Amino acid sequence: MTASRESPGRVSAPPDWVRRPASLAKAVTAELVVRIVRGEHPSGTPLPPEPALCEAFSVSRTVVREAVKILQEKGLVQVRQGAGTMVTPPTMWDMLDELVLAATIAEDESLAILDDVVVTRRVLESDMANLAARVADEDTIERMRELVDRMDQLVDDPVTYAAHDRAFHDTIMQASGNRIARGVVRSLESQVINTARYMGRTERALCVASNLGHRHIYERIAAHDPDGATEAMFTHITNAWLVRRSAPGAPVRLQR
């Protein structure tokens, strides 16, 4: 056999798609989601044909077909007989899908999609606070009190404060017994919790103000005041987001 004359230093590295730990179809899907959301493949236009996608991603037709199938499940494309694979309008996208939501947040400079996330949280959590005020037992109320008191001590540690903040809200959601609403909120939170634009500003004064809101919610639930708990949660989520999303001193508006 003739030895290769190509030196080890000149051997080409395999494409990124080959080296990724996720399956090739999922990797191709993730990239196509970003390209569609970014507008590189606009709504109402066809995706490139299979051969072009195979060449672009250095994958087989089987991989491309699986990726297109996943895109269909996410609502980003429709396969039309004789017309190819057409990109759908954003109104058809599954916004609870992790990849779709993450790509949309990354491309949305206006923060409108994060506003929508917060509004959704606010509606669901206000209702769950109402339910919790009706049914919360002494153990739940004591757990809330412990968390609020602990957060008063954590206002100089925004990372640990945030973890306790999430625990406080989750305690209320669990107490409500609404597993569907809790699941939606937890899913949304898990997808945005590491997004700097969602977490926003974290100064000590903001943590102090935030925990005043928590304490008011706790007091209304402990008093078994459903309407008061609803209003306290609505106000807390609204005010906390308006402050987090704004530059210091900048006026902001969140639609109701």
Side-chain angles (χ1 to χ4, degrees):
M1 295 180 59
T2 303
S4 172
R5 295 182 180 179
E6 185 170 327
S7 66
R10 296 180 60 189
V11 174
S12 298
D16 286 345
W17 308 106
V18 175
R19 292 185 280 119
R20 288 190 180 188
S23 72
L24 293 179
K26 289 181 179 179
V28 172
T29 300
E31 179 62 21
L32 286 173
V33 167
V34 171
R35 294 184 185 186
I36 290 171
V37 172
R38 189 180 290 158
E40 293 180 25
H41 304 301
S43 299
T45 65
L47 279 182
E50 277 187 6
L53 291 174
C54 291
E55 182 178 358
F57 296 122
S58 300
V59 296
S60 68
R61 283 179 179 250
T62 300
V63 169
V64 168
R65 287 170 184 169
E66 178 63 22
V68 169
K69 179 182 176 182
I70 298 172
L71 289 175
Q72 267 192 291
E73 293 169 354
K74 297 178 187 297
L76 273 73
V77 301
Q78 285 184 335
V79 178
R80 298 177 183 173
Q81 193 68 30
T85 302
M86 305 298 294
V87 178
T88 58
T91 53
M92 296 180 66
W93 300 350
D94 179 5
M95 294 308 300
L96 291 180
D97 179 83
E98 180 178 2
L99 290 177
V100 177
L101 181 57
T104 304
I105 290 171
E107 294 301 318
D108 181 21
E109 293 299 327
S110 72
L111 299 186
I113 192 64
L114 288 178
D115 284 343
D116 289 346
V117 168
V118 173
V119 168
T120 302
R121 273 195 59 208
R122 186 175 64 185
V123 170
L124 295 176
E125 290 199 52
S126 294
D127 186 71
M128 285 187 279
N130 183 293
L131 290 169
R134 298 173 188 272
V135 302
D137 57 23
E138 289 304 314
D139 288 343
T140 296
I141 292 171
E142 177 62 17
R143 171 63 173 158
M144 292 173 60
R145 184 191 65 77
E146 291 174 352
L147 285 165
V148 170
D149 288 346
R150 179 60 178 146
M151 281 187 280
D152 275 339
Q153 302 169 3
L154 293 171
V155 292
D156 292 310
D157 181 357
V159 174
T160 309
Y161 178 92
H164 284 68
D165 185 338
R166 292 192 294 273
F168 176 82
H169 284 266
D170 196 52
T171 298
I172 295 170
M173 291 191 289
Q174 289 187 67
S176 77
N178 190 332
R179 293 178 294 170
I180 299 298
R182 178 176 179 247
V184 171
V185 171
R186 285 169 60 86
S187 175
L188 290 172
E189 283 276 284
S190 70
Q191 295 173 47
V192 300
I193 200 65
N194 294 317
T195 302
R197 291 191 296 170
Y198 177 76
M199 296 307 293
R201 298 157 55 194
T202 57
E203 298 100 301
R204 182 184 192 278
L206 302 185
C207 292
V208 171
S210 170
N211 209 36
L212 289 175
H214 292 145
R215 189 168 294 280
H216 187 45
I217 295 166
Y218 152 69
E219 290 171 349
R220 291 302 87 214
I221 292 177
H224 299 288
D225 174 9
D227 290 341
T230 299
E231 182 180 357
M233 183 65 79
F234 186 101
T235 300
H236 165 67
I237 291 177
T238 300
N239 290 343
W241 172 238
L242 289 176
V243 172
R244 289 204 314 274
R245 85 187 297 282
S246 66
V252 292
R253 297 178 178 85
L254 184 64
Q255 292 184 349
R256 298 195 175 206

